[in-house]
Amino acid sequence: MSAPREHFGSRIGFILAAAGSAVGIGNLVSFPVAATKSGGGAFLLVYALFVFLICLPVMMAELALGRKSDKDPVGAYRQLSGGSRLWRIPGWMALITPFMIAVFYMVVTVWVLGYLVEIFKGNLTGLTTEAYFGAFINSNAVFVYLIALMIIINGVLAMGVKDGIERAAKTLMPILFVMLLILVLFVLTRENAVLGLKYYLIPDFAKISPEVVSKAMAQAFFSLSLGMGIMITYGSYMKKRDSIPGSAKAVALTDTLVAFTAGLLILPSIFHFNPQIDPATLSDSSAGMIFLFLPKIFLSLQDSIGYIGASIVAATFFFLVLVAALTSLVSIIEVPVATLRDERGMSRKKAIYAIAAVQLVLAIACAMSFGMSGPLTELISIGGANKSFFDLVEILFYDTILPLNGFLVCIFVIYKWKKANLDRELQEGDSSFAGSLSQKYVNFALGTFIPAILLLVFINTVLLKFFNTSLLNLI
Ligand code: PFF
């Protein structure tokens, strides 16, 4: 007989674990970078609209699928489709996607860990050159950090849902919130910080183009950990008496507040470093911001608070990013763990070992695709440019497949599993949802414009990434 399904111990435990998944590098770095480049407050508004009007209903649908079926994504699609062969495909996609996203996300997290250790060793100055970054990501130290990271993540997973995932989130998330606030308050007292605040908060609607809208949509979707099977899996650990709509709102709100607050940290820091800066000249990439630009900004603080002070601020920031990434990685690796347990009847420990072994190999391949291995560095030509193994995983699984997975969730829930079943599950533990405006909105939106938007984002991404064109060019 298989063991009874594990559950989160409390509603707040679930909210913190799901928020731990949602709050990641996406919030602390990608969001502020995107807002900087795309109209500050205007981007913020578009982003917030997407979070609450488009992504929140998808999150509710994923949680409902998981809780109703009590299963991992593969099992959830199989069970709720009545065993349909066709609907097995999205189940498998909701398994492979998190598995592969975890691989590339782990590599970036390894770099964050490596930079944190260097700051502790007193080497903040060393981190401020581009050459250092190039040398670091191609050094053997990366493999040592990778193993350390995997031991931490899998150690948490091995302790189970309540004693591992939930306890880690309950301990780490409050620390993250407090440290983030302290950093923001500190940065806001720096010279010229107000310039950054103004840049961030005064909307520049002229910058809102169709590309920016599409970017905001993809960012919101990624940030809420949707399309990755995570919310289906976490939903299966929710108790029937807890409200799905209420908990999902709390998670989306927390996630958005953290992203917003991270902007209050990054933009004032940039303008304190250089009040004349034109943010349009900054790199688009989050990695460029974390590893190339931010160390320089932190080092410049030594003029006012000394080298140790600057190192403490830098270490706090890198620690925050590390914590955010760890809780996200825990959630994403729990998806294949749940699948092996539910579908193959494996024990938690066995599942963890099996997954870690394959992910270790793939993560090593990703880490080696920045120059260490020629063939992996120039693996394939996509859209006319040579792409590495790391790029390929990112383009396929993060950029392209996520909106497709989201589209499939909407179509499945409304047209295969059926509205009435979704309604019933969303009302379980939340009687006030029945007949509410939210319920009518969720029902209508999930069956109409939300999948339409996700499908458009998917098609546009395929055109952009693989064919160097976009929907706009084709119209
Ligand atoms: N919400 C996460 C973020 O914003 O970084 C997305 C995520 C990425 C979750 C990678 C889990 C993960 F492993």
Side-chain angles (χ1 to χ4, degrees):
M1 242 205 40
S2 60
R5 191 158 202 82
E6 297 176 72
H7 286 106
F8 289 112
S10 62
R11 180 163 180 250
I12 185 71
F14 163 76
I15 293 175
L16 285 176
S21 169
V23 172
I25 301 179
N27 301 63
L28 295 180
V29 191
S30 317
F31 174 82
V33 170
T36 310
K37 308 277 297 188
S38 315
F43 183 82
L44 211 82
L45 272 178
V46 178
Y47 178 85
L49 283 179
F50 279 142
V51 166
F52 292 101
L53 297 181
I54 311 284
C55 296
L56 185 56
V58 180
M59 185 186 284
M60 291 183 196
E62 290 199 9
L63 290 171
L65 280 182
R67 194 174 68 178
K68 178 65 197 173
S69 62
D70 250 353
K71 295 237 160 8
D72 66 291
V74 174
Y77 274 101
R78 192 194 52 242
Q79 179 170 320
L80 301 181
S81 70
S84 144
R85 281 190 170 269
L86 190 68
W87 284 107
R88 278 204 193 162
I89 300 171
W92 284 101
M93 280 165 59
L95 167 69
I96 297 164
T97 310
F99 189 89
M100 295 307 291
I101 289 185
V103 167
F104 94 81
Y105 205 81
M106 235 174 338
V107 173
V108 181
T109 309
V110 158
W111 301 339
V112 172
L113 177 59
Y115 267 49
L116 180 62
V117 172
E118 284 306 310
I119 298 167
F120 271 120
K121 287 200 296 204
N123 190 21
L124 178 60
T125 314
L127 304 182
T128 56
T129 65
E130 241 163 82
Y132 182 88
F133 180 59
F136 174 73
I137 65 177
N138 281 307
S139 68
N140 288 337
V142 165
F143 303 119
V144 179
Y145 289 125
L146 176 63
I147 289 173
L149 182 71
M150 289 189 80
I151 291 175
I152 299 172
I153 297 165
N154 290 304
V156 172
L157 287 173
M159 287 187 267
V161 174
K162 197 163 155 218
D163 296 332
I165 301 176
E166 180 172 345
R167 204 162 50 159
K170 274 183 161 168
T171 317
L172 293 173
M173 293 310 284
I175 296 178
L176 186 144
F177 299 144
V178 172
M179 281 181 135
L180 180 62
L181 274 183
I182 293 176
L183 267 190
V184 169
L185 291 179
F186 166 75
V187 164
L188 289 181
T189 61
R190 300 295 95 191
E191 213 180 326
N192 294 318
V194 176
L195 293 179
L197 265 192
K198 278 196 186 144
Y199 188 88
Y200 184 39
L201 298 177
I202 300 176
D204 177 0
F205 286 103
K207 293 234 176 76
I208 300 297
S209 61
E211 287 88 66
V212 167
V213 172
S214 166
K215 188 154 111 186
M217 177 65 218
Q219 171 68 27
F221 201 76
F222 178 75
S223 185
L224 291 186
S225 296
L226 299 177
M228 308 182 194
I230 296 175
M231 293 301 162
I232 301 180
T233 308
Y234 273 19
S236 74
Y237 301 141
M238 266 181 105
K239 291 189 176 145
K240 286 281 182 199
R241 62 161 188 260
D242 288 339
S243 156
I244 290 181
S247 307
K249 278 182 207 155
V251 173
L253 192 66
T254 311
D255 186 62
T256 309
L257 277 178
V258 171
F260 173 71
T261 313
L264 295 176
L265 170 68
I266 303 278
L267 275 143
S269 308
I270 294 176
F271 278 84
H272 168 66
F273 174 67
N274 177 3
Q276 259 87 48
I277 202 160
D278 172 8
T281 58
L282 292 172
S283 145
D284 268 335
S285 90
S286 306
M289 178 60 94
I290 311 179
F291 303 107
L292 302 177
F293 197 53
L294 283 174
K296 286 192 194 115
I297 293 184
F298 292 133
L299 185 65
S300 77
L301 291 173
Q302 67 178 342
D303 298 341
S304 52
I305 53 171
Y307 189 70
I308 305 238
S311 301
I312 292 175
V313 173
T316 311
F317 178 79
F318 275 88
F319 179 73
L320 276 183
V321 180
L322 180 66
V323 165
L326 273 177
T327 45
S328 295
L329 280 167
V330 161
S331 73
I332 209 164
I333 301 178
E334 175 65 15
V335 180
V337 171
T339 306
L340 284 187
R341 295 181 72 206
D342 290 348
E343 304 304 304
R344 296 274 176 267
M346 277 190 193
S347 70
R348 178 169 275 279
K349 287 233 162 64
K350 251 198 183 154
I352 288 173
Y353 280 124
I355 291 155
V358 184
Q359 281 188 330
L360 181 65
V361 174
L362 291 170
I364 289 176
C366 264
M368 289 177 71
S369 70
F370 294 89
M372 272 190 228
S373 150
L376 287 171
T377 307
E378 301 209 342
L379 185 70
I380 189 166
S381 164
I382 297 178
N386 273 337
K387 299 286 178 197
S388 65
F389 181 55
F390 180 94
D391 295 333
L392 178 71
V393 174
E394 184 173 8
I395 291 174
L396 272 185
F397 293 97
Y398 160 41
D399 291 328
T400 312
I401 291 189
L402 284 190
L404 179 63
N405 287 349
F407 166 78
L408 292 169
V409 166
C410 300
I411 301 296
F412 178 76
V413 161
I414 300 293
Y415 299 108
K416 181 71 190 172
W417 187 36
K418 303 282 190 233
K419 270 183 194 169
N421 288 319
L422 172 70
D423 276 346
R424 225 170 283 133
E425 192 56 36
L426 292 180
Q427 283 161 28
E428 178 97 50
D430 191 343
S431 49
S432 68
F433 192 69
S436 67
L437 193 65
S438 304
Q439 180 187 40
K440 292 190 184 96
Y441 176 78
V442 168
N443 258 327
F444 175 71
L446 278 177
T448 52
F449 61 89
I450 296 181
I453 292 175
L454 290 168
L455 189 63
L456 283 180
V457 173
F458 168 68
I459 295 172
N460 200 40
T461 314
V462 171
L463 292 173
L464 219 64
K465 297 282 169 189
F466 295 89
F467 301 99
N468 287 330
T469 181
S470 75
L471 272 179
L472 271 186
N473 290 339
L474 294 183
I475 294 168

